[in-house]
Amino acid sequence: MKRRDPRTRLVGHHMVDWLFLDKPAVNNMVEYEARLKASERDLRSIILTIPTMVWSAAPDGSVDFFNPRWLDYTGLSPDQSRDWRWSAAIHPDDLSRLTDAWQSILVSGESGETEARLRHFDGAYRWFLFRANPLRDESGNIVKWYGINLDIEDRKRAEEALRRSESYLAEAQRLSQTGSWAWSPDQDIRYWSEECYRVLSFDPQDGLPRFEEFFQRIHPDDQPSFREIIQTAIREKAEWEVDYRIVHPDGPVRDIHVVGHPVLSTSGHLVEFVGTVIDVTERRRAEQERARLRQLEADLAHISRVSTVGEMAASLAHEVKQPMAAAHTYAAAALRFLDKSPPDVAEVREALTCIVNETDRASSVVDQIGSLIKKAPPLKEVVDLNAAILEVTALTRSEAVRTGVTVGTQLAGELPRIQGDRVQLQQVTLNLIVNAIQSMRSVEDGNRELHISTVSIEPKGVCVAVRDTGHGLRPESLPRLFEPFCTTKPDGMGMGLSICRSIIEAHGGRLWATRCEPRGALFQFTIPAESRHP
Ligand code: ADP
């Protein structure tokens, strides 16, 4: 029978193998005892100097040894830490979890580990990994537990920072309805963020879908263009973006905007695409709604313009008839000069020149009326505000004469160039002039004076003022003047000033009214030189 190695009585097989590693076999007990003592000394010095925390415990879990590193760290003496007293150095919030874990390791008899915060002698806690291994004798009974504590504070902090940034990212994705993804043309979809699942209406529980499954959710009309764009992106290893509709399994269709960015290997091969998907359904709807409102606003402005022009129909007819009548008179004179013998050619030429001028005047009035009545989308062009105002003043001249109003203009010589819609700005001026003339109709005594002026203002811009000596504005009506349907006229619509204000504000300017003393009203508007309109 093979003689049992006496060494195994004292320490387990593994330990013995380790103690006698690379050493020649022992021949007798004395030599063995001597070598064992030497090994124990070695082991002891290793345990005392090893740069990690080491401890041992009896089979029942009561700790009987902590190495100096453990004691130095906690500041506890061996006595203060023996048995279960070491638990004083554990963070109170972690203690019950740690003792539960330790108990279940003891019960299982298997190696195990857990995490807890251990107090430094200065009172600060750091996270440690507690790992315990049982040592068994030859019949399998646990004779000892050995354990180490590893400082994992930095890892914990990094994990915490990562968790926090992941949760910020997830929150940002949720709020912006933006998902992120990674897709390799060779290896299919590799990553979808939680929001990506939500935006594309897939269930995260089902795991990553295959690309073809995702592709089938794209609206059939959008599938060809989608496929073409990604095929081009793969071929050219290029950035890509595309809009498509996704058909959710329960019916609704959502508008999606996707952006892809190629990731290349160091050798220039396409590894994958990473990118974002955004649910833009609400944004699209809002854009459509805004466009609809803009159209309504433009329609309303047009109606109001036509009705203002309509209010002056009689004066405008007169404005056209006047040059026609003049042209008629010049034509009659020309005929007379022709009948002379010999015909007075010089006089005929002069009369014909006058006819040309008068008909030009008439046609420019017609053009003016035409451009005010025409329905056209807003333009952004350089507007010579003085010239635009003079045109409107010319159109309203007959109306002013009819009402006994004298018109004065004072236009600044050099105005900064402004950009905007000429017809809309003329509409505002026309509205202010017509209102001013109307306000003076009821004034019996005193002068009826309309004064229109332009000045440059700082920071670079223009201010236009229309002042009258009409019945003026009541203080209580001032705040409501620019509200829709605010009118004091029996046949008024009350939309003019409200539309004027939105036109001016769309040009980045301001329109306001002031009461004048002893009577009358002053309406002013500004337009900045760097207008954003339309
Ligand atoms: P409407 O001319 O159809 O009444 P507006 O919005 O152009 O609509 O004008 C609103 C109201 O503002 C007028 O009814 C009038 O009471 C007042 N208003 C406008 N301009 C003047 C002005 N120059 N003088 C006095 N009141 C004015």
Side-chain angles (χ1 to χ4, degrees), residues 311 431-432 435-439 466 468 470-473 477 481-483 485-489 491-500 520-523:
E311 280 174 42
N431 216 302
L432 298 181
N435 276 350
I437 294 175
Q438 286 174 347
S439 80
V466 178
D468 63 64
H471 57 67
L473 303 162
S477 66
L481 218 52
F482 296 92
E483 285 175 16
F485 308 116
C486 164
T487 182
T488 53
K489 301 171 193 165
D491 52 351
M493 229 195 345
M495 287 304 294
L497 288 179
S498 143
I499 290 168
C500 288
L522 168 64
F523 284 79

Side-chain angles (χ1 to χ4, degrees), residues 177-183 189 191-192 196 199-200 211 214-215 218 222-223 225-227 229-230 233 238-246 254-262 273-281 283-284:
Q177 300 190 323
T178 307
S180 51
W181 52 265
W183 168 66
I189 296 173
Y191 167 74
W192 271 15
C196 189
V199 167
L200 300 174
F211 180 81
F214 150 72
F215 187 76
I218 295 177
D222 299 341
Q223 287 182 0
S225 57
F226 186 92
R227 212 184 267 288
I229 282 174
I230 55 171
E239 309 272 343
W240 55 283
E241 62 186 289
V242 61
D243 288 302
Y244 61 89
R245 286 160 296 169
I246 202 110
R254 311 284 298 173
D255 292 311
I256 307 292
H257 180 71
V258 61
V259 177
H261 168 79
F273 284 104
V274 292
T276 53
V277 276
I278 311 176
D279 187 334
V280 289
T281 315
R283 199 193 300 169
R284 284 278 141 76

